[in-house]
Structures are given as C-alpha cells and as structure tokens.
PDB file of all heavy atoms in Angstrom:
ATOM      1  N   THR A   1     -83.038   8.417  38.910  1.00 98.00           N
ATOM      2  CA  THR A   1     -82.990   6.979  38.680  1.00 98.00           C
ATOM      3  C   THR A   1     -81.872   6.633  37.702  1.00 98.00           C
ATOM      4  O   THR A   1     -81.497   7.438  36.847  1.00 98.00           O
ATOM      5  CB  THR A   1     -84.330   6.460  38.128  1.00 98.00           C
ATOM      6  OG1 THR A   1     -84.748   7.293  37.034  1.00 98.00           O
ATOM      7  CG2 THR A   1     -85.410   6.455  39.195  1.00 98.00           C
ATOM      8  N   ASN A   2     -81.384   5.408  37.854  1.00 98.00           N
ATOM      9  CA  ASN A   2     -80.337   4.871  36.990  1.00 98.00           C
ATOM     10  C   ASN A   2     -80.771   3.466  36.624  1.00 98.00           C
ATOM     11  O   ASN A   2     -80.637   2.549  37.437  1.00 98.00           O
ATOM     12  CB  ASN A   2     -79.003   4.873  37.735  1.00 98.00           C
ATOM     13  CG  ASN A   2     -77.829   4.466  36.876  1.00 98.00           C
ATOM     14  OD1 ASN A   2     -77.919   3.516  36.113  1.00 98.00           O
ATOM     15  ND2 ASN A   2     -76.717   5.184  37.010  1.00 98.00           N
ATOM     16  N   GLY A   3     -81.318   3.317  35.406  1.00 98.00           N
ATOM     17  CA  GLY A   3     -81.939   2.038  35.081  1.00 98.00           C
ATOM     18  C   GLY A   3     -83.120   1.817  36.009  1.00 98.00           C
ATOM     19  O   GLY A   3     -84.053   2.610  36.059  1.00 98.00           O
ATOM     20  N   PHE A   4     -83.041   0.730  36.797  1.00 98.00           N
ATOM     21  CA  PHE A   4     -84.109   0.438  37.755  1.00 98.00           C
ATOM     22  C   PHE A   4     -83.654   0.648  39.201  1.00 98.00           C
ATOM     23  O   PHE A   4     -84.249   0.105  40.127  1.00 98.00           O
ATOM     24  CB  PHE A   4     -84.614  -0.991  37.562  1.00 98.00           C
ATOM     25  CG  PHE A   4     -85.391  -1.179  36.287  1.00 98.00           C
ATOM     26  CD1 PHE A   4     -84.832  -1.873  35.221  1.00 98.00           C
ATOM     27  CD2 PHE A   4     -86.658  -0.643  36.143  1.00 98.00           C
ATOM     28  CE1 PHE A   4     -85.539  -2.028  34.028  1.00 98.00           C
ATOM     29  CE2 PHE A   4     -87.369  -0.791  34.963  1.00 98.00           C
ATOM     30  CZ  PHE A   4     -86.807  -1.490  33.900  1.00 98.00           C
ATOM     31  N   ALA A   5     -82.613   1.476  39.353  1.00 98.00           N
ATOM     32  CA  ALA A   5     -82.144   1.838  40.694  1.00 98.00           C
ATOM     33  C   ALA A   5     -82.440   3.308  40.954  1.00 98.00           C
ATOM     34  O   ALA A   5     -82.297   4.151  40.063  1.00 98.00           O
ATOM     35  CB  ALA A   5     -80.644   1.575  40.822  1.00 98.00           C
ATOM     36  N   SER A   6     -82.846   3.615  42.168  1.00 98.00           N
ATOM     37  CA  SER A   6     -83.099   5.011  42.530  1.00 98.00           C
ATOM     38  C   SER A   6     -81.858   5.604  43.180  1.00 98.00           C
ATOM     39  O   SER A   6     -81.065   4.896  43.801  1.00 98.00           O
ATOM     40  CB  SER A   6     -84.295   5.116  43.479  1.00 98.00           C
ATOM     41  OG  SER A   6     -84.052   4.388  44.671  1.00 98.00           O
ATOM     42  N   ASP A   7     -81.682   6.917  43.019  1.00 97.00           N
ATOM     43  CA  ASP A   7     -80.558   7.617  43.624  1.00 97.00           C
ATOM     44  C   ASP A   7     -80.958   8.039  45.032  1.00 97.00           C
ATOM     45  O   ASP A   7     -81.898   8.823  45.206  1.00 97.00           O
ATOM     46  CB  ASP A   7     -80.193   8.843  42.782  1.00 97.00           C
ATOM     47  CG  ASP A   7     -78.896   9.499  43.222  1.00 97.00           C
ATOM     48  OD1 ASP A   7     -78.712   9.690  44.443  1.00 97.00           O
ATOM     49  OD2 ASP A   7     -78.073   9.831  42.350  1.00 97.00           O
ATOM     50  N   PRO A   8     -80.262   7.555  46.060  1.00 97.00           N
ATOM     51  CA  PRO A   8     -80.665   7.857  47.439  1.00 97.00           C
ATOM     52  C   PRO A   8     -80.518   9.323  47.823  1.00 97.00           C
ATOM     53  O   PRO A   8     -81.081   9.755  48.835  1.00 97.00           O
ATOM     54  CB  PRO A   8     -79.737   6.972  48.277  1.00 97.00           C
ATOM     55  CG  PRO A   8     -78.545   6.730  47.406  1.00 97.00           C
ATOM     56  CD  PRO A   8     -79.088   6.656  46.008  1.00 97.00           C
ATOM     57  N   SER A   9     -79.784  10.103  47.021  1.00 97.00           N
ATOM     58  CA  SER A   9     -79.603  11.516  47.345  1.00 97.00           C
ATOM     59  C   SER A   9     -80.636  12.410  46.672  1.00 97.00           C
ATOM     60  O   SER A   9     -80.662  13.626  46.919  1.00 97.00           O
ATOM     61  CB  SER A   9     -78.195  11.977  46.927  1.00 97.00           C
ATOM     62  OG  SER A   9     -78.074  12.017  45.506  1.00 97.00           O
ATOM     63  N   PHE A  10     -81.493  11.846  45.840  1.00 98.00           N
ATOM     64  CA  PHE A  10     -82.378  12.670  45.031  1.00 98.00           C
ATOM     65  C   PHE A  10     -83.312  13.548  45.859  1.00 98.00           C
ATOM     66  O   PHE A  10     -83.415  14.762  45.621  1.00 98.00           O
ATOM     67  CB  PHE A  10     -83.206  11.801  44.076  1.00 98.00           C
ATOM     68  CG  PHE A  10     -84.205  12.593  43.275  1.00 98.00           C
ATOM     69  CD1 PHE A  10     -83.788  13.411  42.245  1.00 98.00           C
ATOM     70  CD2 PHE A  10     -85.563  12.541  43.565  1.00 98.00           C
ATOM     71  CE1 PHE A  10     -84.691  14.166  41.503  1.00 98.00           C
ATOM     72  CE2 PHE A  10     -86.480  13.285  42.840  1.00 98.00           C
ATOM     73  CZ  PHE A  10     -86.033  14.105  41.802  1.00 98.00           C
ATOM     74  N   ALA A  11     -83.998  12.972  46.810  1.00 97.00           N
ATOM     75  CA  ALA A  11     -84.988  13.739  47.581  1.00 97.00           C
ATOM     76  C   ALA A  11     -84.334  14.908  48.304  1.00 97.00           C
ATOM     77  O   ALA A  11     -84.853  16.024  48.294  1.00 97.00           O
ATOM     78  CB  ALA A  11     -85.714  12.832  48.571  1.00 97.00           C
ATOM     79  N   ARG A  12     -83.194  14.677  48.955  1.00 97.00           N
ATOM     80  CA  ARG A  12     -82.561  15.771  49.692  1.00 97.00           C
ATOM     81  C   ARG A  12     -81.978  16.813  48.749  1.00 97.00           C
ATOM     82  O   ARG A  12     -81.954  18.011  49.079  1.00 97.00           O
ATOM     83  CB  ARG A  12     -81.511  15.243  50.659  1.00 97.00           C
ATOM     84  CG  ARG A  12     -80.226  14.712  50.064  1.00 97.00           C
ATOM     85  CD  ARG A  12     -79.187  14.462  51.155  1.00 97.00           C
ATOM     86  NE  ARG A  12     -77.934  13.971  50.613  1.00 97.00           N
ATOM     87  CZ  ARG A  12     -77.600  12.692  50.497  1.00 97.00           C
ATOM     88  NH1 ARG A  12     -78.454  11.756  50.896  1.00 97.00           N
ATOM     89  NH2 ARG A  12     -76.428  12.333  49.986  1.00 97.00           N
ATOM     90  N   ASN A  13     -81.518  16.377  47.562  1.00 97.00           N
ATOM     91  CA  ASN A  13     -81.028  17.352  46.589  1.00 97.00           C
ATOM     92  C   ASN A  13     -82.160  18.235  46.082  1.00 97.00           C
ATOM     93  O   ASN A  13     -81.991  19.446  45.911  1.00 97.00           O
ATOM     94  CB  ASN A  13     -80.337  16.642  45.426  1.00 97.00           C
ATOM     95  CG  ASN A  13     -78.937  16.173  45.783  1.00 97.00           C
ATOM     96  OD1 ASN A  13     -78.277  16.740  46.660  1.00 97.00           O
ATOM     97  ND2 ASN A  13     -78.479  15.127  45.110  1.00 97.00           N
ATOM     98  N   ARG A  14     -83.312  17.653  45.850  1.00 98.00           N
ATOM     99  CA  ARG A  14     -84.467  18.447  45.408  1.00 98.00           C
ATOM    100  C   ARG A  14     -84.852  19.476  46.459  1.00 98.00           C
ATOM    101  O   ARG A  14     -85.017  20.656  46.160  1.00 98.00           O
ATOM    102  CB  ARG A  14     -85.653  17.532  45.101  1.00 98.00           C
ATOM    103  CG  ARG A  14     -86.957  18.311  44.914  1.00 98.00           C
ATOM    104  CD  ARG A  14     -88.139  17.378  44.787  1.00 98.00           C
ATOM    105  NE  ARG A  14     -88.521  17.191  43.397  1.00 98.00           N
ATOM    106  CZ  ARG A  14     -89.165  16.125  42.934  1.00 98.00           C
ATOM    107  NH1 ARG A  14     -89.461  15.132  43.741  1.00 98.00           N
ATOM    108  NH2 ARG A  14     -89.492  16.056  41.658  1.00 98.00           N
ATOM    109  N   VAL A  15     -84.996  19.016  47.695  1.00 97.00           N
ATOM    110  CA  VAL A  15     -85.398  19.918  48.774  1.00 97.00           C
ATOM    111  C   VAL A  15     -84.360  21.020  48.956  1.00 97.00           C
ATOM    112  O   VAL A  15     -84.697  22.211  49.063  1.00 97.00           O
ATOM    113  CB  VAL A  15     -85.593  19.137  50.083  1.00 97.00           C
ATOM    114  CG1 VAL A  15     -85.777  20.091  51.262  1.00 97.00           C
ATOM    115  CG2 VAL A  15     -86.806  18.209  49.983  1.00 97.00           C
ATOM    116  N   GLY A  16     -83.088  20.652  48.986  1.00 97.00           N
ATOM    117  CA  GLY A  16     -82.040  21.625  49.225  1.00 97.00           C
ATOM    118  C   GLY A  16     -81.900  22.639  48.111  1.00 97.00           C
ATOM    119  O   GLY A  16     -81.763  23.841  48.365  1.00 97.00           O
ATOM    120  N   ALA A  17     -81.935  22.161  46.870  1.00 97.00           N
ATOM    121  CA  ALA A  17     -81.786  23.061  45.732  1.00 97.00           C
ATOM    122  C   ALA A  17     -82.943  24.049  45.652  1.00 97.00           C
ATOM    123  O   ALA A  17     -82.736  25.253  45.461  1.00 97.00           O
ATOM    124  CB  ALA A  17     -81.692  22.251  44.440  1.00 97.00           C
ATOM    125  N   LYS A  18     -84.152  23.564  45.817  1.00 97.00           N
ATOM    126  CA  LYS A  18     -85.313  24.444  45.700  1.00 97.00           C
ATOM    127  C   LYS A  18     -85.393  25.415  46.879  1.00 97.00           C
ATOM    128  O   LYS A  18     -85.781  26.580  46.711  1.00 97.00           O
ATOM    129  CB  LYS A  18     -86.582  23.597  45.566  1.00 97.00           C
ATOM    130  CG  LYS A  18     -86.619  22.811  44.259  1.00 97.00           C
ATOM    131  CD  LYS A  18     -87.784  21.855  44.164  1.00 97.00           C
ATOM    132  CE  LYS A  18     -89.069  22.539  43.821  1.00 97.00           C
ATOM    133  NZ  LYS A  18     -90.143  21.595  43.459  1.00 97.00           N
ATOM    134  N   ALA A  19     -85.008  24.969  48.066  1.00 98.00           N
ATOM    135  CA  ALA A  19     -85.007  25.864  49.220  1.00 98.00           C
ATOM    136  C   ALA A  19     -84.005  26.995  49.035  1.00 98.00           C
ATOM    137  O   ALA A  19     -84.211  28.106  49.543  1.00 98.00           O
ATOM    138  CB  ALA A  19     -84.687  25.083  50.492  1.00 98.00           C
ATOM    139  N   ALA A  20     -82.927  26.702  48.290  1.00 98.00           N
ATOM    140  CA  ALA A  20     -81.908  27.717  48.035  1.00 98.00           C
ATOM    141  C   ALA A  20     -82.260  28.610  46.853  1.00 98.00           C
ATOM    142  O   ALA A  20     -81.505  29.517  46.520  1.00 98.00           O
ATOM    143  CB  ALA A  20     -80.555  27.044  47.795  1.00 98.00           C
ATOM    144  N   GLY A  21     -83.389  28.342  46.222  1.00 97.00           N
ATOM    145  CA  GLY A  21     -83.860  29.194  45.136  1.00 97.00           C
ATOM    146  C   GLY A  21     -83.411  28.784  43.753  1.00 97.00           C
ATOM    147  O   GLY A  21     -83.586  29.549  42.802  1.00 97.00           O
ATOM    148  N   LEU A  22     -82.851  27.591  43.609  1.00 97.00           N
ATOM    149  CA  LEU A  22     -82.426  27.125  42.292  1.00 97.00           C
ATOM    150  C   LEU A  22     -83.591  26.475  41.557  1.00 97.00           C
ATOM    151  O   LEU A  22     -84.413  25.774  42.156  1.00 97.00           O
ATOM    152  CB  LEU A  22     -81.285  26.103  42.404  1.00 97.00           C
ATOM    153  CG  LEU A  22     -79.863  26.654  42.562  1.00 97.00           C
ATOM    154  CD1 LEU A  22     -79.664  27.250  43.952  1.00 97.00           C
ATOM    155  CD2 LEU A  22     -78.831  25.557  42.294  1.00 97.00           C
ATOM    156  N   ALA A  23     -83.658  26.689  40.249  1.00 96.00           N
ATOM    157  CA  ALA A  23     -84.568  25.901  39.410  1.00 96.00           C
ATOM    158  C   ALA A  23     -84.061  24.463  39.432  1.00 96.00           C
ATOM    159  O   ALA A  23     -82.851  24.223  39.405  1.00 96.00           O
ATOM    160  CB  ALA A  23     -84.584  26.443  37.994  1.00 96.00           C
ATOM    161  N   PHE A  24     -84.970  23.499  39.471  1.00 97.00           N
ATOM    162  CA  PHE A  24     -84.571  22.106  39.691  1.00 97.00           C
ATOM    163  C   PHE A  24     -85.221  21.179  38.677  1.00 97.00           C
ATOM    164  O   PHE A  24     -86.386  21.359  38.305  1.00 97.00           O
ATOM    165  CB  PHE A  24     -84.978  21.666  41.104  1.00 97.00           C
ATOM    166  CG  PHE A  24     -84.605  20.250  41.429  1.00 97.00           C
ATOM    167  CD1 PHE A  24     -83.334  19.948  41.888  1.00 97.00           C
ATOM    168  CD2 PHE A  24     -85.520  19.227  41.266  1.00 97.00           C
ATOM    169  CE1 PHE A  24     -82.979  18.626  42.165  1.00 97.00           C
ATOM    170  CE2 PHE A  24     -85.190  17.909  41.544  1.00 97.00           C
ATOM    171  CZ  PHE A  24     -83.908  17.610  41.999  1.00 97.00           C
ATOM    172  N   GLY A  25     -84.459  20.180  38.256  1.00 97.00           N
ATOM    173  CA  GLY A  25     -84.987  19.165  37.360  1.00 97.00           C
ATOM    174  C   GLY A  25     -84.384  17.802  37.650  1.00 97.00           C
ATOM    175  O   GLY A  25     -83.285  17.698  38.214  1.00 97.00           O
TER     176      GLY A  25
END
C-alpha cells in the first residue's frame, strides 16, 4: 500500500516470490 492506494502488483509478487523460495514481507 501507498497511503490509501493499493499496489496492483502485490499479490502476484507475493505468490511468485514465495513459490521461488524467497522469504517475503
């Protein structure tokens, strides 16, 4: 999130990073 806007790439970044074995935050 950025203020009161959500980042449209967040969900896919979470899924992709964790599927690749990266710790994610």
Side-chain angles (χ1 to χ4, degrees):
T1 49
N2 186 317
F4 290 107
S6 60
D7 189 314
S9 70
F10 176 73
R12 72 170 181 266
N13 282 334
R14 168 187 261 155
V15 170
K18 294 174 78 168
L22 277 72
F24 180 84

